[in-house]
Amino acid sequence: MSTIWYECKVKYKKTDENGGQKVTTEPYLVDAVSYTEAESRITEEMSAYISEEFKITNIKIANYAEIHPFENTDRWFKSKVSLLAYDEESGKERKSNMYLLVQANDVKEAFDNTVSVMTGTMGDYTIPAITESPIFDVFPYFSGEEGELEQLEKFNTLKASKSEVLEEVEDHMEFVIEGEEVI
C-alpha cells in the first residue's frame, strides 16, 4: 500500500513579531489512509502546537510521489522531475512527470537535494522546475524515530479495518442472459 499524502489547511490566530494577533491559514501535510483519518491526525498534531482554537478549512490529496526531509533545513520545495523513456513502437521519447517534496534552505540546495534523491535512478530524468512550496510542515506516520511502536500498531489497525470493509462488499446482482430462466 503506497502512502497517500493529504494537504490540510489550518486556520488559527497567530502572534506576530509585534505581539499582535492575526488570523492565518497554513497548509500542512499528513499521510493517512482516508480523509477522516487525515482530519483526525492533523487535529491531533496541531493540538500540540496551538493552544487556542483552530479550524481545518480544507483537506485534499496532494500529488507528491515522495517526501524527502533533510537535516538543518527549514523550507519545503516542490521539485518537478521528468522521467524520460524511449517508446520503441513510435520511436519517440516520452516524458512522465512526478513531483517530489524536498526540504532545503534555498532553491540551489533543493536542486542538489533532488539530484541526491534521484541518484541510482535507472532511467534518464530532467528537473524542469523547482518552486518553494507553501507547505508549512509535514507529519509522516513514521519518522524513523524510536518510540513509534504505538503509532505502527494504530496504523496497522486502521489498515486492517479498511481492508475488512472492502472484503465485506460483495456483488449480489444477478444478470439474466436472454433465453435463461430466473430461479
Side-chain angles (χ1 to χ4, degrees):
M1 186 170 167
S2 64
T3 303
I4 301 174
W5 292 97
Y6 291 86
E7 184 178 320
C8 305
K9 292 193 177 179
V10 179
K11 186 176 188 176
Y12 66 98
K13 288 183 182 176
K14 186 176 189 176
T15 306
D16 60 13
E17 300 84 35
N18 303 330
Q21 295 238 327
K22 71 174 193 170
V23 176
T24 185
T25 302
E26 296 173 339
Y28 294 88
L29 218 56
V30 297
D31 62 337
V33 293
S34 67
Y35 284 94
T36 306
E37 187 199 3
E39 181 180 15
S40 172
R41 290 215 43 236
I42 195 64
T43 301
E44 182 181 330
E45 294 288 351
M46 296 312 294
S47 296
Y49 295 105
I50 302 172
S51 58
E52 294 183 20
E53 189 176 306
F54 62 89
K55 182 178 180 181
I56 300 165
T57 59
N58 189 17
I59 299 176
K60 66 179 182 179
I61 294 178
N63 67 340
Y64 298 113
E66 298 173 4
I67 310 294
H68 295 280
F70 284 86
E71 295 286 325
N72 303 319
T73 57
D74 60 349
R75 294 170 19 207
W76 291 95
F77 291 85
K78 185 177 186 174
S79 297
K80 179 180 180 181
V81 177
S82 295
L83 302 171
L84 306 174
Y86 183 73
D87 186 3
E88 294 191 18
E89 289 181 18
S90 66
K92 295 181 181 178
E93 193 172 73
R94 292 182 32 218
K95 286 184 184 179
S96 61
N97 296 323
M98 70 176 188
Y99 297 94
L100 308 178
L101 192 64
V102 180
Q103 205 170 17
N105 292 312
D106 56 32
V107 175
K108 183 185 179 327
E109 187 178 349
F111 177 82
D112 294 340
N113 289 348
T114 302
V115 169
S116 74
V117 164
M118 295 301 292
T119 301
T121 303
M122 297 296 276
D124 293 333
Y125 67 91
T126 60
I127 304 171
I130 295 180
T131 56
E132 187 169 359
S133 170
I135 299 296
F136 203 77
D137 204 356
V138 175
F139 300 109
Y141 245 118
F142 311 108
S143 63
E145 295 177 6
E146 291 183 32
E148 291 187 335
L149 188 58
E150 182 182 320
Q151 196 75 348
L152 177 62
E153 289 171 3
K154 194 177 187 183
F155 174 77
N156 286 334
T157 303
L158 277 168
K159 187 176 166 185
S161 68
K162 187 172 182 180
S163 63
E164 286 173 13
V165 170
L166 291 175
E167 289 172 7
E168 289 177 11
V169 177
E170 290 183 30
D171 185 6
H172 296 289
M173 294 186 73
E174 296 179 13
F175 294 95
V176 177
I177 301 173
E178 207 171 301
E180 287 187 6
E181 288 184 34
V182 178
I183 301 174

